[in-house]
Amino acid sequence: MSLFHFLDERTPLTGRLALSVEYDGTAYCGWQRLKHSPSVQGALEKALGRVAGTDITVHCSGRTDSGVHATRQIVHFDPPVPRSEKAWVFGGNANLPRDIAIRWIREVPGDFHARFKALARRYRYVILNQPSRPVLERANATWCRDPLDADAMHEAAQVLVGENDFSSFRAAGCQSKTPWRHLHFIEVHRHGPLVVVDIQANAFLHHMVRNIVGALMTVGRGAEGTDYLARLLALKDRTLSDVTAPGSGLHFVDTLYDEVWQLPKEPLGPNLLAFLGEWTGERELPDCRMVDFRRRRQIAPDDKPAP
């Protein structure tokens, strides 16, 4: 699959548009627009507004926290004026800071919604496990100077797979109405000095991935056994759980949608993990209520979709 695509500069795009955004979240308070701090949403809306010559509001597939990065944040908006594919991408990027970039833009049907049509979200947490502090990777990996047992971390994490109450791994200020989430898979692998936690779910609670990784690092250091995550999960109490891992190591790498939307496929980020060679959407989604619901399949009348 080619990474390169010809950008049409003649055909005006009309109707709802979807785009993919990559960003380094170091300098931002997170995705969501705020009055008192810089945000990725605010920067993107400002750049697109300059291309359109008027205000634009965008909607994302999943909000990220302060300092968290993204390589495939899917966004949609309804353009107030027609512009070509090249105008939106090149014009948007010309008005964006260097730590945010539009990767592609496409026309989508009017009922597409970046958040509510998403089937799954995927994150990768990158840990640089070496005695000396990182230099080139200092902004996009978390440094751990203590030796980590990646195999023990992977074993401990498997208890989280499936539909569970993740109260022990949600932030105190989490606004979700329910702590239940369906975790599709979680894998921990070592690649030289890099320890990578790869995790996918239907959706995530506030700080959920970082809280899971914080507990896994405790297991990796040998301070707790491989039953540690099971014990924390059973407690259903964040105040009795472990530390929150730093945001610098967390990367939002994929949002999965039904094939009917025909969104472009991309290699999973961040680019320092390109040697893994996996492209988006290669793994089968588990059979669950939320996937069935959003794919418009028939479900039992009394069976409500999972959050």
Side-chain angles (χ1 to χ4, degrees), residues 163-180:
E163 195 167 355
N164 291 294
D165 180 337
F166 286 94
S167 294
S168 293
F169 302 100
R170 69 187 300 187
C174 180
Q175 298 177 356
S176 175
K177 295 180 179 179
T178 173
W180 287 84

Side-chain angles (χ1 to χ4, degrees), residues 85-107:
E85 179 185 15
K86 186 175 183 179
W88 285 119
V89 175
F90 279 24
N93 285 337
N95 288 286
L96 281 168
R98 296 184 64 184
D99 48 11
I100 305 175
I102 299 170
R103 296 169 64 102
W104 51 259
I105 193 165
R106 293 286 188 280
E107 287 184 351

